[in-house]
Amino acid sequence: MKDKLKILENTLKNHDWFYYYSDDFSVYENGQRSFDKINELIELLENNDLGKKANDLYKKYEPEALKY
């Protein structure tokens, strides 16, 4: 599962956090696919007792503008 944490971190680093603002549908689609992958990885890690680490990584890379 440690490799899944690395994959999650890499995906978070490269994710376009503002994809949904794009006028280009292909940018939107790519961003949505990336976001879906992030959610799938977090769910997998949560089911394997690594939820805290996964969510900590998410919070680390989530831009301040999107935090509430």
Side-chain angles (χ1 to χ4, degrees):
M1 279 297 122
K2 296 286 184 188
D3 60 321
K4 297 294 184 191
L5 278 171
K6 295 239 184 242
I7 293 169
L8 175 61
E9 184 166 23
N10 189 46
T11 305
L12 290 164
K13 282 182 188 177
N14 295 303
H15 179 60
D16 177 1
W17 291 90
F18 300 97
Y19 69 93
Y20 48 85
Y21 290 117
S22 179
D23 292 331
D24 184 336
F25 188 67
S26 66
V27 171
Y28 177 86
E29 277 186 318
N30 289 335
Q32 188 62 55
R33 269 195 296 275
S34 174
F35 193 68
D36 290 344
K37 181 178 180 182
I38 289 167
N39 286 323
E40 288 172 14
L41 286 165
I42 289 173
E43 184 176 347
L44 174 68
L45 290 162
E46 285 175 340
N47 292 335
N48 287 280
D49 298 322
L50 291 169
K52 177 161 177 23
K53 288 185 180 186
N55 286 301
D56 287 347
L57 277 175
Y58 185 91
K59 290 174 189 172
K60 176 181 175 182
Y61 290 101
E62 181 183 27
E64 280 298 317
L66 297 178
K67 293 179 182 179
Y68 54 92

